[in-house]
Amino acid sequence: MPELPEVETIRRQLDGALGGRRVVEAGSHPSAKFTPARDVTGARLVAAGRRGKFLLLGTDDGRELVIHLGMTGALSFHPRPDIEGDPYLRAWWRLEATDGRREISETMLFHDVRRFGRIRVVAAGEYETIPALAAAGPEPFDPDLDGRRLWLNLSKSRRRLKTQLLSQRPIAGVGNIYADEALWLAGISPFTTSIGLARATRLLEALRQVLGQGIDNGGTTFRDYRNLAGGSGSNQTALAVYGRAGAPCLRCGVTLRSAVLDARTTTWCPACQRR
Ligand SMILES: [Zn+2]
């Protein structure tokens, strides 16, 4: 599933590609998950933002086209797409050409094989109808976020640390891969239910490091994730624990273990990640 680095990679590419172009025509799969895509017909797409794992495409009439990629969602551009004959196309937006001429327009496509993605249109910044977005914690790279604030956010619950991170509430944008990587880097067990200020501070530093590296590497691609140009990320070669259960810990040499936590595979080092 795309996490912050993957969505941020797409956002950066979109920011250059949208350029304030008008949506000339739009369409979608009949599911209510995707039909709001049509609501921005006639509006210009003026900016590409991101909050956690959500893409926020601002329009010139004060709204936002909110796209969650789910597990297999991907955006791309095509000059002459086969709308009718494409079984995984869930939404599309035909954009005015960069020079304003309709005949050489191109279309932004949203493909989603497994249909866990979602599209919504809201007044800019008003996310009450999207609870996961409304409840999202601070952005990891928000300069106002420090170890103390993360510690306070984590102190609101006694659930396991990894469960809390995946909930998006203490901090936004972290999913299974980057949670495992950051917890390993910080030397903290994913099963811990309470950490102090010092470890919360170390965890924030670790989260920033692994997410920053993920962005620098254009995201992590194991199977589905593709950027706007259809390319893969390269961060999968830089992971220390995710996908390495049974291999030796890169820090202490002890065999990494894995277990299912919250229906997701968690990988950790039983020796150097303490409870
Ligand atoms: Zn270790």
Side-chain angles (χ1 to χ4, degrees), residues 22-26 40-43 93-97 102 105:
R22 189 180 303 282
V23 177
V24 177
E25 194 182 0
V40 293
T41 306
W93 302 265
R94 197 149 68 79
L95 303 175
E96 189 177 73
R102 191 171 170 133
S105 65

Side-chain angles (χ1 to χ4, degrees), residues 184 249 251-253 269 271-272:
W184 178 83
C249 173
R251 189 163 44 207
C252 75
C269 174
C272 65

Side-chain angles (χ1 to χ4, degrees), residues 43-59:
R44 290 181 185 277
L45 300 177
V46 292
R50 180 193 55 74
R51 181 80 173 85
K53 305 178 197 173
F54 290 84
L55 281 167
L56 310 171
L57 308 187
T59 66

Side-chain angles (χ1 to χ4, degrees), residues 96-114:
E96 189 177 73
T98 43
D99 65 355
R101 284 195 295 151
R102 191 171 170 133
E103 61 270 24
I104 53 164
S105 65
E106 62 180 351
T107 303
M108 182 167 75
L109 305 168
F110 180 67
H111 286 93
D112 185 6
V113 174
R114 296 192 61 186

Side-chain angles (χ1 to χ4, degrees), residues 146-223:
D146 58 10
R148 176 167 292 275
R149 183 154 166 225
L150 180 62
W151 174 63
L152 288 170
N153 288 355
L154 289 168
S155 302
K156 290 173 187 165
S157 166
R158 297 302 300 266
R159 292 189 296 164
R160 289 163 171 159
L161 199 48
K162 175 145 182 218
T163 304
Q164 288 211 57
L165 292 174
L166 296 186
S167 79
Q168 308 295 297
R169 286 171 180 265
I171 188 167
V174 182
N176 204 37
I177 295 175
Y178 296 96
D180 278 6
E181 292 296 308
L183 289 165
W184 178 83
L185 189 58
I188 304 171
S189 164
F191 304 99
T192 301
T193 54
S194 172
I195 58 172
L197 175 58
R199 290 209 292 175
T201 303
R202 216 158 68 219
L203 178 58
L204 178 58
E205 287 169 6
L207 284 164
R208 285 176 167 161
Q209 188 172 327
V210 300
L211 293 169
Q213 177 193 274
I215 295 169
D216 289 346
N217 287 332
T220 300
T221 300
F222 276 106
R223 199 177 51 191

